[in-house]
Amino acid sequence: NNEYLELAKQDYNNCQALHQLEWDTFQKWYEKNRLHECGVCKNELLECFYLAAATIFEEDRSDERMAWAKSSVLVKAISSSSSGESFDSRVSLFDQFHNARRSDHHFNERSTILNRPGSVQASLLVGILIGTLNQMFFDLFMSDRRDVKNLLYQLWEDWLEKWKLDGEEGEGELILKMIILMKNNDLTSFFSHPHFVRLSEIINRINLIAQYSKARRNVEKEKTIKTMENEMEQMVELVLSEIDDTFRDVNITFLDVAKAFYYSASCGDHLQTHIVKVLFQKVL
């Protein structure tokens, strides 16, 4: 039916136009915080935004979409800046975030503490992180009258505490929790449930394999993709085994994010072509 086809095209183009406005805002946030100086390039920025927008595309889910995209970029910035750095450097960043949260101290690029290795860069990153979390809290409070500030800070402190040990722990779980928090405060009660914990372990492994796969070639890449497929199978089995309807939204979110990680690792050189078509080419 041509009428339905035209309506579908119009709906897609309207959604795309919204995503383009969000992309403009996302770039301004990136430039304002000078995240290119923290090791995040424009292509990585675009990929982070695309994965979030292509997965959570609905117009009324902007908070979830942007929380995912910004969290991915912040994790990349923190990980890139600490690459090759000592354990003390990671501890410095964690301590500064922890202390800033406890004292409600305002960080910016001038509020540095110079008595530990890596402390200048750590203070810059902590300032960016705190500023971003505060803006997320403010936007959500103004739109939905939901106060998520303490929960936001707790999620990031929990992730940083794991990350400081080896520099690569728990990104998938962090993104999941950020999306769920933006969706509904009540769902955060599931975070300590054994079902959620098991799914978190799988999503973390899928994310790590996806990151590893991007740096591999041919045969090695095929092996890592196969390993990721095995993890995906485990996740699907675990989701289907949970018959409690209260977990429905949580399960769907896990599957959506896992599929996005798998897609980004497996589509390889086609990713940039997909980005251009989905985000920037109108359907005629």
Side-chain angles (χ1 to χ4, degrees):
N1 187 304
N2 287 335
E3 290 185 7
Y4 286 126
L5 178 60
E6 290 304 315
L7 285 172
K9 289 179 180 179
Q10 183 179 344
D11 185 55
Y12 180 90
N13 289 333
N14 288 340
C15 185
Q16 185 187 69
L18 173 63
H19 291 170
Q20 288 174 358
L21 288 174
E22 291 176 348
W23 167 238
D24 289 341
T25 302
F26 194 53
Q27 289 182 92
K28 291 175 182 176
W29 167 77
Y30 169 81
E31 291 162 1
K32 174 186 175 183
N33 289 294
R34 307 201 309 270
L35 283 161
H36 62 282
E37 297 178 10
C38 300
V40 182
C41 69
K42 265 295 183 66
N43 283 341
E44 290 176 313
L45 185 79
L46 182 56
E47 182 179 334
C48 289
F49 178 79
Y50 168 69
L51 288 179
T55 306
I56 304 177
F57 56 83
E58 297 90 338
E59 293 184 23
D60 61 346
R61 298 180 68 190
S62 179
D63 289 330
E64 298 165 57
R65 191 160 48 243
M66 298 306 288
W68 177 350
K70 288 185 176 179
S71 296
S72 295
V73 171
L74 289 169
V75 168
K76 286 183 182 297
I78 292 170
S79 299
S80 177
S81 297
S82 67
S83 178
E85 295 290 333
S86 66
F87 172 74
D88 282 347
S89 297
R90 296 198 296 272
V91 170
S92 174
L93 193 150
F94 170 79
D95 286 348
Q96 290 190 48
F97 181 81
H98 175 81
N99 293 334
R101 180 190 177 194
R102 293 294 180 269
S103 64
D104 199 28
H105 179 63
H106 175 69
F107 266 76
N108 55 46
E109 57 266 32
R110 290 175 295 277
S111 60
T112 56
I113 303 171
L114 305 177
N115 60 350
R116 299 191 66 170
S119 58
V120 175
Q121 185 71 0
S123 289
L124 291 173
L125 290 166
V126 168
I128 295 168
L129 177 55
I130 288 177
T132 301
L133 295 183
N134 286 344
Q135 189 63 53
M136 286 182 184
F137 150 72
F138 178 78
D139 291 343
L140 197 59
F141 183 79
M142 294 302 292
S143 62
D144 293 350
R145 286 293 186 259
R146 287 201 287 132
D147 185 351
V148 298
K149 186 174 183 178
N150 287 334
L151 289 169
L152 278 172
Y153 274 69
Q154 188 61 54
L155 292 187
W156 277 89
E157 184 166 320
D158 290 346
W159 176 75
L160 286 169
E161 189 165 23
K162 295 176 183 176
W163 166 84
K164 74 178 181 181
L165 297 178
D166 60 16
E168 59 177 20
E169 183 66 36
E171 178 184 349
E173 179 183 353
L174 173 65
I175 290 172
L176 252 298
K177 288 180 175 178
M178 289 292 290
I179 294 170
I180 290 170
L181 178 57
M182 294 296 110
K183 183 197 295 282
N184 187 337
N185 289 41
D186 295 337
L187 293 176
T188 60
S189 62
F190 293 126
F191 287 174
S192 60
H193 192 282
H195 180 71
F196 190 98
V197 172
R198 289 178 65 192
L199 286 172
S200 296
E201 292 170 352
I202 297 173
I203 199 83
N204 285 334
R205 291 198 297 268
I206 291 173
N207 180 64
L208 280 174
I209 296 167
Q211 298 300 322
Y212 177 81
S213 175
K214 291 177 183 179
R216 302 301 99 187
R217 294 183 180 180
N218 303 326
V219 176
E220 285 186 337
K221 188 178 182 73
E222 290 178 8
K223 289 180 180 178
T224 56
I225 294 297
K226 182 61 179 177
T227 303
M228 198 185 311
E229 288 174 352
N230 292 336
E231 296 289 349
M232 293 287 291
E233 289 176 7
Q234 289 185 47
M235 175 169 286
V236 172
E237 289 175 3
L238 187 56
V239 165
L240 292 177
S241 70
E242 180 53 63
I243 60 175
D244 189 343
D245 281 345
T246 57
F247 274 100
R248 183 175 182 277
D249 282 345
V250 171
N251 285 334
I252 289 173
T253 304
F254 267 103
L255 287 174
D256 285 345
V257 175
K259 287 186 287 186
F261 290 159
Y262 176 81
Y263 160 73
S264 68
S266 61
C267 69
D269 297 336
H270 300 294
L271 183 61
Q272 292 303 314
T273 302
H274 294 178
I275 290 173
V276 171
K277 287 184 176 181
V278 173
L279 290 181
F280 304 115
Q281 289 183 4
K282 289 185 68 173
V283 176
L284 302 176

